[in-house]
């Protein structure tokens, strides 16, 4: 309203966890907002805390997750898919394929699992959801994912500029290219407020 004030600001480095978790009734709920360099460590901390309460199943919420580091996505998949199994393939323009395998202990293999996705679930989030769907170790619930199947490479230059270009497509374990199509959930639930409840119902039906 025409008035002014002086504010003293202190610069500080902001840190946050990309993983949020809690128990919902007897089910472990883990939300990953994006795949950062610390996501796997955050996931392990959440898993260890929730596992003490002997959950009947797990909900992995990847809704509104835009992706992030592919390495981080592969690390998280290692908690669900046993070591040595292909979790994603990178296909370059010359049609050569590079496969990436799980290196994890698959501590959650065999546990009732539901993955929540929506139209904002993209890139690395689709890698995780696609592998879980391909291996049939969990159900996808929600709406069609975004469909970003490209791989970017960043080159940094001495003048602090950078060049970011797409160099490949990634494919799911079954060879699916999600570019422009996305992943189709096993159970489609359009309303966001109903998606979590449906995931809970699916897990409880398995117990």
């Amino acid at each position: 309203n025409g008035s002014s004030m002086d504010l003293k600001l202190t610069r500080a480095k902001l840190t946050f966890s990309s993983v949020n978790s809690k128990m919902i009734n007897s089910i472990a709920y883990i939300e990953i907002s994006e795949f950062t360099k610390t996501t796997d460590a955050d996931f392990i901390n959440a898993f260890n805390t929730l596992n003490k309460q002997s959950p009947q199943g797990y909900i992995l919420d990847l809704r509104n997750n835009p992706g992030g580091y592919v390495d981080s996505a592969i690390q998280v998949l290692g908690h669900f898919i046993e070591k040595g199994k292909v979790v994603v393939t990178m296909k370059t323009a010359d049609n050569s394929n590079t496969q990436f395998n799980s290196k994890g202990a698959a501590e959650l293999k065999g546990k009732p699992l539901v993955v929540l996705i929506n139209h904002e679930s993209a890139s690395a989030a689709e890698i995780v959801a696609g592998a879980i769907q391909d291996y049939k170790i969990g159900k996808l619930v929600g709406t069609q994912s975004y469909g970003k199947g490209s791989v970017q490479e960043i080159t940094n230059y001495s003048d602090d500029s950078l060049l970011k270009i797409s160099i490949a497509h990634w494919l799911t374990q079954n060879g699916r290219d999600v570019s422009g199509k996305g992943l189709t959930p096993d159970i489609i639930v359009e309303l966001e407020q109903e998606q979590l409840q449906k995931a809970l119902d699916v897990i409880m039906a398995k117990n």
Side-chain angles (χ1 to χ4, degrees):
N1 298 323
S3 60
S4 63
M5 66 179 70
D6 293 328
L7 299 174
K8 183 176 181 180
L9 305 180
T10 302
R11 290 182 180 272
K13 184 177 180 180
L14 299 178
T15 59
F16 72 99
S17 172
S18 60
V19 177
N20 294 304
S21 62
K22 61 183 176 181
M23 291 293 293
I24 302 179
N25 299 325
S26 59
I27 297 170
Y29 169 88
I30 302 176
E31 176 190 26
I32 300 179
S33 59
E34 62 179 307
F35 288 92
T36 69
K37 292 181 179 179
T38 64
T39 295
D40 187 53
D42 294 336
F43 184 92
I44 291 171
N45 288 334
F47 164 72
N48 287 337
T49 299
L50 296 175
N51 209 40
K52 294 176 182 177
Q53 302 180 57
S54 301
Q56 296 183 31
Y58 294 83
I59 294 173
L60 183 62
D61 193 345
L62 300 180
R63 292 175 297 177
N64 305 311
N65 182 321
Y69 290 99
V70 173
D71 289 348
S72 178
I74 293 172
Q75 288 174 330
V76 169
L77 280 170
H79 301 289
F80 301 95
I81 298 171
E82 58 203 38
K83 183 177 180 179
K85 288 195 171 184
V86 176
V87 292
V88 66
T89 298
M90 187 171 69
K91 182 179 181 180
T92 55
D94 62 359
N95 287 323
S96 63
N97 292 339
T98 302
Q99 294 182 330
F100 296 88
N101 298 339
S102 170
K103 298 179 181 178
E107 311 97 316
L108 296 175
K109 180 185 177 183
K111 305 287 186 181
L113 171 67
V114 170
V115 181
L116 290 172
I117 61 171
N118 64 7
H119 187 61
E120 303 304 320
S121 304
S123 192
E126 292 174 294
I127 289 176
V128 172
I132 288 172
Q133 187 178 48
D134 279 0
Y135 279 109
K136 302 184 186 302
I137 57 178
K139 295 290 186 182
L140 303 191
V141 170
T143 56
Q144 198 83 3
S145 64
Y146 183 83
K148 183 182 180 296
S150 56
V151 180
Q152 277 76 47
E153 181 177 75
I154 296 177
T155 302
N156 294 289
Y157 296 95
S158 58
D159 63 353
D160 291 331
S161 63
L162 60 84
L163 176 66
K164 182 178 182 181
I165 59 174
S166 296
I167 60 169
H169 276 196
W170 64 260
L171 310 176
T172 70
Q173 187 271 337
N174 283 351
R176 292 185 290 165
D177 184 348
V178 304
S179 295
K181 297 175 288 187
L183 297 167
T184 301
D186 299 292
I187 303 172
I188 296 176
V189 180
E190 295 288 347
L191 296 179
E192 184 173 344
Q193 60 268 33
E194 297 178 0
Q195 291 165 354
L196 178 57
Q197 184 57 54
K198 184 61 178 181
L200 293 169
D201 293 343
V202 170
I203 290 179
M204 292 305 298
K206 292 180 176 292
N207 290 288

